[in-house]
Amino acid sequence: MCVDNAFITPTYDRLFDQGYISFGDNKNLMVSKKLDNQTIDKLGLKNGEIIEQLNLSEKSKYYLKYHRENRFKT
């Protein structure tokens, strides 16, 4: 994951890499509708939740835009 953060765990990193989660430029969590509800509930994922710890540089925002458009499963 190309986002500067220490709070990202291997589980979230894998979900990100597989396109099941992403982040908006305003630090909001985006959860794919293709991720099953059991996983969403178990991990406590909340679509739209603002992740304050997310440090987004301009480079990160550029990469996240690419990720949302090309990797994120809508």
Side-chain angles (χ1 to χ4, degrees):
M1 177 184 287
C2 185
V3 180
D4 312 319
N5 296 289
F7 81 97
I8 300 295
T9 67
T11 300
Y12 296 107
D13 189 47
R14 185 169 177 140
L15 289 171
F16 180 84
D17 288 345
Q18 292 179 348
Y20 289 111
I21 63 171
S22 194
F23 302 93
D25 287 341
N26 63 348
K27 301 183 179 187
N28 62 306
L29 176 64
M30 300 169 64
V31 181
S32 172
K33 294 176 183 174
K34 297 191 178 196
L35 188 60
D36 65 275
N37 287 332
Q38 181 179 359
T39 301
I40 292 170
D41 292 342
K42 187 174 185 178
L43 295 175
L45 299 174
K46 294 180 179 84
N47 198 35
E49 178 179 12
I50 303 298
I51 309 299
E52 292 296 335
Q53 305 95 315
L54 204 59
N55 297 317
L56 297 181
S57 65
E58 288 305 311
K59 182 179 177 181
S60 295
K61 287 181 182 180
Y62 178 81
Y63 176 73
L64 285 173
K65 181 178 187 288
Y66 172 85
H67 184 270
R68 290 189 303 267
E69 293 174 354
N70 298 286
R71 301 282 300 158
F72 185 63
K73 299 175 188 219
T74 55

